[in-house]
Amino acid sequence: MTDDDRTGIGAESPSDDPRVSLAAQLRAAASKAGIGQVAPGEVPTAGALLSAIGGVRGLAESILPGLGFVIVYTLTGSLVPSVLIPVGVAVLFVVARIVQRGPVAQALAGVFGIAISAAIALLSGRAEGNFIPGLVVNVVSLLALLVSIAVRWPVIGIIVGLLTNEGSAWRDDKAKRRVLVLTTWLWCGLFAARLAVQLPLFFAGQITALATTKLVMGVPLYAAVLWVTWLLVRTVYRARLEADAAPGRL
């Protein structure tokens, strides 16, 4: 045995394994997702739901810029203030987080998205451009979810597998697999519904109706789908825990 063997110098620890590190990173990312705010066995509460959508501040950061667009565009019909005021509101949220020494990543992401939307609208000279990034995100999200179902790796299953540290074991459980596929279809429905309602308004140039619909089908619809997802996942996971704990299984 060498000195290095005795002291452990030069030996790799489990945390040095890239596969372990990647799994930890994926698990951390999954925990930040909405469903990650409540473990599959827990009862979803209003407080947990509010936390999942970012709390009161996150809710305000999600809604107020879009609401600002609706109000300004409805009152003035002018493109420039309608797209720049939401950017200003988003920047104020970032400044507030910096002053209070809070996490700024979410707020910065919000500014980035709103700024891109504003830039497209200003460069095109059309208010419809403000909604292109959001529509693209919905299309990409829907396609990604559909592909995940087609290849039998539904996105919700992957997220729950990471959160519960069971990896892909859920794929061998028919009941779990069925629910996780169903909930992934549920999220497909959310993005499909947004596109079905918003695309006709976009092509018709109904800006105020489009902006209002985007608000209504944004956080409120997201929260509703998230709540149902929690309930369905909790039901099947709790049933499995109770079955495993039954006397006959000991």
Side-chain angles (χ1 to χ4, degrees):
M1 181 180 293
T2 66
D3 290 339
D4 284 353
D5 292 332
R6 287 191 296 269
T7 60
I9 299 174
E12 291 187 359
S13 67
S15 60
D16 294 327
D17 188 337
R19 293 170 298 179
V20 174
S21 178
L22 178 60
Q25 292 176 26
L26 290 174
R27 192 172 299 112
S31 67
K32 294 178 182 178
I35 194 173
Q37 303 299 318
V38 173
E42 293 181 7
V43 178
T45 64
L49 182 62
L50 182 61
S51 175
I53 58 178
V56 174
R57 172 176 286 182
L59 193 60
E61 291 173 351
S62 298
I63 293 177
L64 290 184
L67 183 60
F69 178 93
V70 172
I71 294 173
V72 176
Y73 191 84
T74 300
L75 293 177
T76 68
S78 179
L79 173 62
V80 175
S82 298
V83 298
L84 291 184
I85 286 177
V87 174
V89 172
V91 170
L92 287 176
F93 280 123
V94 173
V95 172
R97 283 182 176 266
I98 292 174
V99 170
Q100 297 175 359
R101 298 183 179 180
V104 298
Q106 180 179 346
L108 283 174
V111 171
F112 183 70
I114 295 170
I116 290 178
S117 298
I120 293 175
L122 292 173
L123 289 173
S124 66
R126 298 176 62 86
E128 291 93 326
N130 190 60
F131 302 93
I132 290 177
L135 292 171
V136 170
V137 168
N138 284 317
V139 170
V140 172
S141 299
L142 176 59
L143 290 176
L145 289 166
L146 289 173
V147 169
S148 76
I149 293 172
V151 299
R152 299 184 178 181
W153 280 91
V155 168
I156 300 301
I158 295 172
I159 294 175
V160 172
L162 289 168
L163 292 174
T164 58
N165 203 28
E166 69 172 348
S168 61
W170 54 268
R171 301 183 78 234
D172 298 322
D173 186 313
K174 187 175 181 180
K176 287 183 180 179
R177 188 174 67 249
R178 184 184 297 116
V179 167
L180 294 171
V181 169
L182 174 62
T183 50
T184 302
W185 274 115
L186 189 63
W187 286 94
C188 288
L190 179 147
F191 295 113
R194 286 177 177 173
L195 292 169
V197 173
Q198 294 173 22
L199 278 176
L201 295 174
F202 174 83
F203 289 117
Q206 299 293 322
I207 305 304
T208 301
L210 177 57
T212 303
T213 302
K214 183 179 179 182
L215 278 177
V216 173
M217 303 186 78
V219 174
L221 185 58
Y222 171 85
V225 174
L226 185 61
W227 184 273
V228 175
T229 301
W230 277 345
L231 291 175
L232 291 172
V233 173
R234 172 181 177 266
T235 298
V236 69
Y237 271 79
R238 186 167 186 174
R240 281 290 176 264
L241 287 172
E242 292 174 351
D244 292 341
R249 300 294 297 275
L250 296 179

